[in-house]
Amino acid sequence: MFKTFLQLLYPKLCFACQEPLFSSEEFICTTCRIELSRIKLVENTPNWVRAKFDGLIDFEHANAFFHFMPGSRVQQLMHQIKYKGASDLGIFLGVWAGSALKKSHFYDEVTCLVAIPLHPKRLQERGYNQAEVIAKGLANALSIPLYTQVLKRISQSNSLIGLNRAARYEELENVFEVTDAAKIRGSHVLIIDDTLTTGATFLAAAQKIRAAGATKVSFFALAALK
Ligand SMILES: [Zn+2]
C-alpha cells in the first residue's frame, strides 16, 4: 500500500521513454519492450553485423540485440547504462538478450564469455564496467561462465571519434592484454561489449584472445550502429 503511494508520488520511469512504469513493469515499459528496434539475425547468413568483421579476423558468429540509432530510445538506454549508473539495467538487458539468444541457439557452442574491460582508472570513476554487467546477465541466461580476470585493458586509448576503422584499430592494437591464457586455451570465447560501431575494439581484443590460445571467437554487442 505504502509502496503504491510512493510510486504515485515518485513514479519509476521507463529507462527508454521516461514515461511512468506500471507496478508490474520493470526498467522498461511494455510499449518500449515491443517497439525498441531489435536486430534479428539468422545464424551464419551474410548480414551487416558480420560484415564489420568479414575478412579481418577468423571468427564464428557476430550478433547484436538492439539497433543503435542516434536520438533513439536505444541510445537513451545505452546512455543510462554507460553514464548514469544504471548497472542493474545493464544486467536486466543482458538477461533479456541472453534469453532471446538461447532460444535462437546462436551461441550454443560458446564455452566462455569475456567482456571488453575498462581501464582501471575509468573503472574506478564509473564504479562498474558496463560491458561486464551486460555480460553477467547474458552469462546467467545462457548458463555459460563469464571470466572477468582474463582480459585487461593496460592503457587508455585516445578518443576514437572521427577515426576510421583502420585508424581506430591502430589506436587500440595494444591496449588489451590476456592475463590468464590458461583459462581460455582451446576455448570458444564470446567477446561482449555494450556498443558495436566500427568493430575495432572487438578486433583488438579478439586478436589478443586468439593469440593467447583460444581456438574460436565470436562477438556480441547489446546495441550496434549500422
Ligand atoms: Zn518506455
Side-chain angles (χ1 to χ4, degrees):
M1 183 67 192
F2 184 61
K3 212 176 150 191
T4 313
F5 179 65
L6 276 182
Q7 176 67 3
L8 284 173
L9 280 181
Y10 306 104
K12 282 189 194 160
L13 304 180
C14 168
F15 278 95
C17 71
Q18 310 301 319
E19 292 292 326
L21 291 174
F22 289 109
S23 57
S24 59
E25 295 169 336
E26 248 195 317
F27 298 101
I28 297 175
C29 72
T30 307
T31 310
C32 285
R33 276 190 79 108
I34 296 163
E35 290 180 0
L36 285 170
S37 181
R38 296 262 302 272
I39 296 170
K40 287 180 181 157
L41 301 181
V42 179
E43 207 179 342
N44 288 332
T45 50
N47 63 68
W48 61 272
V49 177
R50 282 192 76 86
K52 290 177 187 275
F53 306 102
D54 274 337
L56 299 169
I57 191 165
D58 187 14
F59 71 101
E60 300 299 310
H61 310 291
N63 203 345
F65 193 58
F66 292 121
H67 188 186
F68 187 100
M69 280 170 289
S72 66
R73 281 178 279 178
V74 169
Q75 183 183 29
Q76 176 65 22
L77 281 179
M78 302 313 290
H79 186 79
Q80 300 282 339
I81 297 171
K82 223 166 157 173
Y83 303 111
K84 299 290 179 186
S87 57
D88 47 355
L89 171 67
I91 293 179
F92 171 81
L93 294 176
V95 170
W96 183 11
S99 313
L101 290 168
K102 195 172 177 116
K103 274 183 216 148
S104 71
H105 302 284
F106 212 89
Y107 293 119
D108 275 3
E109 326 95 63
V110 165
T111 50
C112 63
L113 313 185
V114 170
I116 296 288
L118 290 179
H119 187 269
K121 200 172 147 226
R122 178 70 57 81
L123 181 62
Q124 204 180 16
E125 287 163 9
R126 195 169 292 168
Y128 61 93
N129 171 1
Q130 74 279 1
E132 192 174 301
V133 295
I134 294 163
K136 268 185 193 158
L138 280 167
N140 201 296
L142 291 168
S143 308
I144 300 174
L146 165 68
Y147 296 152
T148 56
Q149 303 298 323
V150 162
L151 190 67
K152 291 265 150 70
R153 191 183 285 247
I154 49 175
S155 65
Q156 293 262 47
S157 55
N158 296 318
S159 172
L160 303 175
I161 294 165
L163 300 180
N164 65 22
R165 183 169 57 189
R168 281 181 184 223
Y169 180 70
E170 205 172 303
E171 188 65 46
L172 291 165
E173 202 174 356
N174 290 307
V175 307
F176 299 113
E177 186 182 80
V178 171
T179 50
D180 191 352
K183 200 117 188 174
I184 54 168
R185 198 164 294 137
S187 304
H188 179 173
V189 180
L190 176 59
I191 305 171
I192 294 148
D193 205 357
D194 49 283
T195 317
L196 166 63
T197 51
T198 64
T201 306
F202 275 110
L203 277 176
Q207 300 284 13
K208 299 288 177 181
I209 285 171
R210 289 293 305 266
T215 43
K216 292 176 180 174
V217 292
S218 288
F219 304 110
F220 177 79
L222 187 60
L225 182 75
K226 207 163 187 170

